[in-house]
Amino acid sequence: MSSFLTKRLTYMIIILLAASMMIFFLYAMTPGDFISGNLKLSPERKAELREIYGLNKPIFERYGNWLGNALHGNFGYSLAQQKPVLTLFNEYIWNSFLLAIVSTFLTWLIAVIIGVIAAYKQYSWFDTLVMVLIFAAMSLPSFFIGLYLIKIAAVDLKWLPPGGMLNTGSNATGMEYVKEVLQHMTLPVIVMTLLGLGSLTRYFRSNMIDVIQQDYIRTARAKGLKERKVLFTHALRNALLPAITLVGFELPALFGGSLIIEKIFNWPGIGQLYMQSFSLRDYPLLMGFTMLIAILSVIGTLLSDILYRIADPRVKV
């Protein structure tokens, strides 16, 4: 196990180093930046700012400085927000995490339950209905579902607020604050859950169909075990094993998958901050966010490899 971890950690360092080079040079070679695109600044002030932020230095020297600072936990300074990048992440990332963790939990819970039932009742009316809804959920774009829910639940029925995290001018504290946040996050969580539900339910249904056709499931039934125990004790455990590989993709998706949703519902998360920075070409913040996603992707992949190795020691990764 120690040699496995050593090898994987070495790969992680090489991958992250390559990712940092690609991210930096991609943004550095993109035409225009926040300073040159700012019409309020005079040419003299632009030249002064480019000198202050080191944008006039050779590109390899800039990469070396950026990488050295990043290794010390400094991902630069946002030119548009006038704050350190990590300070901005700390202000916004927890709001995104709240949306992501709730929708991920609901997505997996509902997908497992529906997938198991659909597999058990294969080709029944329930299975057919599930498949139709799955393809519908996978076909509809997120902005359409989001805007449609705002129209129905917020505008027509006035059940829920259309966006934001709190009511305008709210000074709520304690349970009132929690209640307002829950009301505002309901619609974005529904959209994010629907978007993830389609592919995951189909995945669990396929795995479950393969498992319940195995000989040991027939043996368990022949022993007279109750159908519920056969499904949820013997079949589901083995059907969930391949899902371990999906854990690695969930970690970066916690923050990278809600960019459009946060914009639609005006949710003050890291996704909306990224979209604002993208339009302003605030490259230090964009590079920091992209590097964060790369780090989470590598950590998630390592986590899934370790879990799979623990679940099945025969696997060599």
Side-chain angles (χ1 to χ4, degrees), residues 38-235:
N38 194 332
L39 300 178
K40 297 179 181 177
L41 298 176
S42 64
E44 293 76 15
R45 182 57 178 164
K46 288 181 180 179
E48 184 182 5
L49 289 175
R50 297 184 73 82
E51 183 68 27
I52 291 173
Y53 292 115
L55 298 177
N56 291 330
K57 294 179 180 177
I59 189 169
F60 287 99
E61 183 180 348
R62 287 166 53 196
Y63 170 69
N65 293 334
W66 179 77
L67 182 63
N69 292 331
L71 291 175
H72 289 86
N74 178 11
F75 282 91
Y77 196 81
S78 169
L79 302 178
Q81 306 289 335
Q82 291 295 300
K83 287 183 180 179
V85 171
L86 284 186
T87 301
L88 288 168
F89 282 0
N90 191 44
E91 290 178 3
Y92 288 91
I93 206 167
W94 301 112
N95 297 336
S96 297
F97 183 76
L98 179 63
L99 278 188
I101 199 69
V102 174
S103 60
T104 301
F105 172 77
L106 291 175
T107 301
W108 278 68
L109 179 66
I110 297 172
V112 168
I113 294 174
I114 295 178
V116 170
I117 298 174
Y120 178 66
K121 298 184 175 181
Q122 189 180 10
Y123 304 130
S124 66
W125 67 267
F126 178 82
D127 184 35
T128 305
L129 180 63
V130 167
M131 293 305 294
V132 171
L133 293 178
I134 283 173
F135 283 111
M138 294 172 68
S139 304
L140 293 174
S142 58
F143 68 87
F144 175 80
I145 301 175
L147 293 176
Y148 186 75
L149 284 179
I150 290 174
K151 169 73 169 55
I152 299 298
V155 178
D156 293 343
L157 301 176
K158 302 186 187 305
W159 285 349
L160 294 166
M165 192 171 177
L166 293 170
N167 295 331
T168 305
S170 173
N171 293 315
T173 56
M175 290 307 297
E176 281 298 318
Y177 175 83
V178 174
K179 183 181 176 182
E180 281 193 22
V181 172
L182 287 175
Q183 288 176 339
H184 284 76
M185 67 184 286
T186 299
L187 288 180
V189 165
I190 289 174
V191 177
M192 291 174 70
T193 303
L194 286 175
L195 292 175
L197 203 56
S199 57
L200 203 57
T201 302
R202 194 179 175 199
Y203 184 81
F204 283 127
R205 177 184 175 275
S206 301
N207 285 344
M208 198 66 184
I209 288 174
D210 291 338
V211 170
I212 60 179
Q213 292 175 348
Q214 300 295 318
D215 290 338
Y216 67 90
I217 297 297
R218 297 193 189 96
T219 303
R221 284 171 172 159
K223 287 181 179 178
L225 294 178
K226 292 182 179 179
E227 194 64 19
R228 179 177 296 180
K229 188 170 184 178
V230 172
L231 283 178
F232 289 97
T233 303
H234 295 273

Side-chain angles (χ1 to χ4, degrees), residues 241-273:
L241 188 60
I244 291 175
T245 55
L246 297 179
V247 174
F249 299 103
E250 291 294 333
L251 197 56
L254 288 178
F255 303 107
S258 58
L259 300 180
I260 298 176
I261 305 300
E262 289 182 2
K263 187 69 177 176
I264 292 173
F265 291 97
N266 196 27
W267 185 264
I270 193 75
Q272 187 168 188
L273 179 66

Side-chain angles (χ1 to χ4, degrees), residues 290-302:
T290 312
M291 196 63 209
L292 173 68
I293 297 298
I295 293 171
L296 292 176
S297 301
V298 173
I299 293 175
T301 305
L302 174 66

